[in-house]
Amino acid sequence: MPRLPDVPLSRQRVLLADFAAALRQQMFFWGRHVMCGGNLLLRHGFEKRESPGLKGTSCYRLTHEDGVIELHGACAGWYPQVSSQRPGFLFVRTRGRISTHRLHEPVVPGRYQSDALQNHTADAMAAARLFAEWLADYEAWVRRQMGPGYRVECRQRLASLPKGQTWLPAPEAERWLRLFAAQGPGAPRARTLRVGGSTPFTHRLAQEMTNA
């Protein structure tokens, strides 16, 4: 079988920018999940912990694959076990970018050990696909628990905020996450699943990551 041509780095970077836009919206959703009755993160199996570095706040940890997912209000990441060869994943909300790392302990919000964070595109794609697969499954679980109208309401709340930046609506968001997890660089752009094209936030991130 002939070798398929490599996907250009510029194409991979705009897909990572699409995923970063998804996570920006998702972090608002996680905040809503904590406030709703019963706390959806706890119901999903996360362990609530006191957040280091940000007094009076909490973080949530879940064992996943050969590592752990940890969610904060400021960042979200996956941290491999010492024995794992996979790159770790980190998304920092204020930076709006995806980074990889070889850390085995979750970062302290606001202290991101910049020297330990990397932006190698192939590693970022591998790490992002693992996280996207989990996120698609999580979103499907939320839909089953709360009904499809719940996500619509969450997204409307985000859109009503003065600086609220929405991404794909459900179920398009879940569909794109599954395509991205399964196909990686071969996945379609998120804007192809959305009537009206990409959001300004997605477009800006794509430009930044293409020029990086």
Side-chain angles (χ1 to χ4, degrees):
M1 180 180 294
R3 183 176 182 271
L4 295 175
D6 292 333
V7 176
L9 290 178
S10 59
R11 167 71 179 186
Q12 297 185 52
R13 287 169 181 157
V14 294
L15 288 170
L16 289 170
D18 282 345
F19 188 42
L23 291 169
R24 179 74 171 263
Q25 175 174 266
Q26 189 67 39
M27 293 192 80
F28 175 82
F29 291 166
W30 285 326
R32 297 294 305 169
H33 296 173
V34 169
M35 293 185 291
C36 78
N39 190 323
L40 285 176
L41 292 181
L42 292 180
R43 286 168 57 183
H44 190 66
F46 278 88
E47 175 190 359
K48 185 177 180 179
R49 295 171 168 237
E50 183 177 348
S51 180
L54 296 173
K55 188 175 181 180
T57 63
S58 301
C59 62
Y60 292 83
R61 184 177 295 188
L62 177 74
T63 299
H64 181 67
E65 297 285 342
D66 49 345
V68 296
I69 290 171
E70 188 156 290
L71 307 178
H72 298 262
C75 59
W78 179 78
Y79 304 87
Q81 297 174 354
V82 175
S83 59
S84 176
Q85 298 301 310
R86 303 189 199 189
F89 172 88
L90 181 68
F91 175 77
V92 178
R93 179 174 52 80
T94 55
R95 298 180 181 182
R97 294 174 69 91
I98 291 168
S99 298
T100 59
H101 58 78
R102 298 291 174 178
L103 303 171
H104 305 298
E105 291 295 328
V107 299
V108 175
R111 306 174 193 168
Y112 297 115
Q113 305 180 48
S114 296
D115 57 334
L117 301 183
Q118 304 167 349
N119 293 302
H120 186 271
T121 302
D123 279 356
M125 183 62 69
R129 290 175 69 183
L130 182 150
F131 202 86
E133 182 178 25
W134 168 79
L135 183 55
D137 289 342
Y138 172 80
E139 282 294 288
W141 176 85
V142 171
R143 173 169 43 80
R144 292 192 299 269
Q145 294 289 312
M146 306 297 289
Y150 174 73
R151 179 56 75 238
V152 173
E153 179 186 352
C154 289
R155 193 166 177 274
Q156 288 174 341
R157 284 182 177 271
L158 175 59
S160 70
L161 298 177
K163 295 184 179 181
Q165 295 172 319
T166 59
W167 187 61
L168 290 178
E172 288 87 351
E174 185 182 326
R175 180 186 171 204
W176 186 85
L177 289 171
R178 293 200 184 282
L179 289 170
F180 179 64
Q183 301 177 17
R189 290 295 310 277
R191 66 189 179 193
T192 66
L193 276 66
R194 176 182 189 149
V195 177
S198 60
T199 65
F201 178 68
T202 304
H203 179 73
R204 175 172 58 81
L205 275 176
Q207 292 284 3
E208 290 177 357
M209 298 187 80
T210 299
N211 296 331

